[in-house]
Amino acid sequence: MPRDLQFQKKKDESELTASPDSHTGDTKATDGDGYNEFTIHQEDDGPRFGAFRRMPAEGKNLTDIHPYVQSLNITDVDSCSSLEKATFPEHERCSKEKFIYRLSSCPELSLGLFSTSESDGPAAKTATYAHARSPDSANPAKRAALVAQVISTKCTTPTVSDESMEVPTNWRSGVSPSETRGHQEQGRTVVVHSLAALPDFKGRGLGQIVMKSYMQRIESSGIADRIALLAHDPLVRYYEALGFRDLGQSEVKFGGGGWHDMVYDISNRGPGS
């Protein structure tokens, strides 16, 4: 389930009440549109589709980790699973099988935030570094560690449902056109199953960075009318600050229930707005 553990209700209450755009950057390399330029790394076979984006200045010190966004795919499943385990309680975690299904069925709907680090760098002691790969064959000592992620599918309902969170039976051998569980390619609702950021970098705003980048990406693509997710009470205001509407208590029972349905409307904004 979506959660940015950098923002705790008691500690950061004032920050949740402010607009995400109200922060000013403290990074030196900032251009006129309020974005910071970070080093872009290319894999041997070229960058993945839509792989790299500039990071917004969020008023957090990011100079030591230099994060950049990059598309996720099935090769990132171990990193995604490790990040999920480091972030969520066991009863709310996405299983590895679900990661495999989602990153195989619709990898274009997921996004990762990476930090390139050497073995003595800031990301080297994190839960995901063991699965990090070198993005540059000319400098194998540096490895790109996953520090935050957004994992999603699509559904045909306007909010998250228990069915949308499931995995179709025998999906590896083909999914029936009448299947209502899991990813629905024809759907116009993007369902965020996991927004997670490493606790090691708590207070850096990494969850907010990757989520804002993801929202812009979905808006400009024109593939959906809305983004939907679930949130517990302490994080409702966090998502409202990102532009989501709280629709009240959700009927979803996953993880014991008690969720709020949160929706970010795209259809009335238009692609690229």
Side-chain angles (χ1 to χ4, degrees):
M1 284 297 91
R3 174 183 294 176
D4 180 356
L5 292 185
Q6 304 150 46
F7 292 85
Q8 299 296 327
K9 185 178 182 181
K10 293 183 179 179
K11 181 177 179 181
D12 297 311
E13 184 76 12
S14 60
E15 195 161 1
L16 294 181
T17 62
S19 165
D21 297 319
S22 65
H23 303 294
T24 55
D26 60 357
T27 307
K28 294 182 179 179
T30 305
D31 60 22
D33 62 4
Y35 282 75
N36 294 322
E37 292 281 69
F38 290 92
T39 303
I40 291 178
H41 305 280
Q42 183 170 318
E43 298 179 359
D44 294 344
D45 58 349
R48 303 174 188 171
F49 173 75
F52 304 106
R53 292 283 299 278
R54 291 173 293 169
M55 293 292 90
E58 296 292 344
K60 307 293 184 181
N61 183 5
L62 303 174
T63 56
D64 60 332
I65 58 176
H66 300 292
Y68 58 93
V69 289
Q70 178 170 291
S71 302
L72 295 171
N73 61 40
I74 191 61
T75 64
D76 298 302
V77 66
D78 288 326
S79 290
C80 292
S81 185
S82 295
L83 176 53
E84 186 90 352
K85 185 177 181 179
T87 309
F88 295 101
E90 186 173 359
H91 67 285
E92 292 182 7
R93 291 176 196 161
C94 170
S95 67
K96 187 171 182 178
E97 175 66 12
K98 286 185 176 180
F99 276 119
I100 294 172
Y101 167 68
R102 291 163 183 166
L103 293 176
S104 298
S105 302
C106 49
E108 71 281 0
L109 295 179
S110 296
L111 191 65
L113 189 68
F114 289 81
S115 174
T116 300
S117 177
E118 295 187 356
S119 59
D120 59 349
K125 295 182 180 181
T126 65
T128 60
Y129 192 74
H131 308 292
R133 302 183 304 275
S134 175
D136 184 359
S137 59
N139 193 357
K142 287 188 174 182
R143 296 159 65 181
L146 182 66
V147 297
Q149 66 187 18
V150 179
I151 308 293
S152 306
T153 59
K154 289 167 70 177
C155 73
T156 56
T157 55
T159 57
V160 182
S161 66
D162 281 305
E163 278 194 327
S164 68
M165 300 174 65
E166 295 177 2
V167 174
T169 304
N170 300 323
W171 66 269
R172 296 172 188 268
S173 59
V175 178
S176 168
S178 61
E179 178 62 73
T180 58
R181 292 170 296 177
H183 174 61
Q184 304 291 310
E185 184 61 34
Q186 75 278 15
R188 296 292 297 177
T189 299
V190 168
V191 177
V192 176
H193 299 286
S194 175
L195 168 58
L198 281 173
D200 306 73
F201 300 120
K202 180 180 177 181
R204 305 291 190 98
L206 299 184
Q208 189 180 75
I209 289 174
V210 73
M211 190 61 180
K212 289 179 71 175
S213 296
Y214 184 78
M215 292 163 67
Q216 293 170 3
R217 183 181 183 132
I218 296 300
E219 281 192 53
S220 63
S221 71
I223 64 171
D225 296 329
R226 66 194 65 84
I227 301 173
L229 54 81
L230 300 174
H232 284 307
D233 288 338
L235 289 175
V236 167
R237 294 174 70 184
Y238 171 77
Y239 287 110
E240 286 179 332
L242 286 170
F244 284 80
R245 292 185 296 118
D246 178 13
L247 302 186
Q249 290 295 315
S250 172
E251 295 181 0
V252 171
K253 303 303 181 184
F254 175 83
W259 306 98
H260 285 249
D261 277 317
M262 308 293 297
V263 172
Y264 178 78
D265 295 305
I266 297 173
S267 56
N268 59 352
R269 299 171 185 266
S273 61

